[in-house]
Amino acid sequence: SEPGAIHSISLDNTGSSSAAYFKFFDAASVTMGTTVADMVLKVKASSRYDFEIPTGLTFTYVSFACTANQDPEDNTAPQLGVGVKLIVS
């Protein structure tokens, strides 16, 4: 895998009455509940957020998941699916 950078993360949790947490891993392989996330972003219930990263968040690998709890090792599924859009280079 070649290094890259994330410039924008859009999270859509508008269909849920519970918060969700986007977890980013710079890892080729992730075991939810064991692998600790490198970054955790909260998206409140019934909300949509756009996180802009002008200088880019560098990575070698991109793995991500959304969970119901903030703990970086949590593996509980969110109430409903969360829409995720990444802009990378």
Side-chain angles (χ1 to χ4, degrees), residues 15-84:
S16 178
S17 61
S18 298
Y21 297 85
F22 171 84
K23 312 235 174 124
F24 170 79
F25 306 86
D26 187 355
S29 176
V30 172
T31 302
M32 292 303 296
T34 302
T35 306
V36 177
D38 293 293
M39 177 179 62
V40 178
L41 299 173
K42 179 180 181 179
V43 58
K44 293 181 181 179
S46 304
S47 298
R48 177 187 164 94
Y49 289 101
D50 295 310
F51 299 91
E52 300 298 324
I53 310 166
T55 58
L57 173 67
T58 58
F59 63 85
T60 302
Y61 299 97
V62 174
S63 297
F64 63 88
C66 290
T67 64
N69 299 298
Q70 185 173 2
D71 181 345
E73 295 179 14
D74 179 62
N75 65 352
T76 307
Q79 181 185 36
L80 294 172
V82 176
V84 176

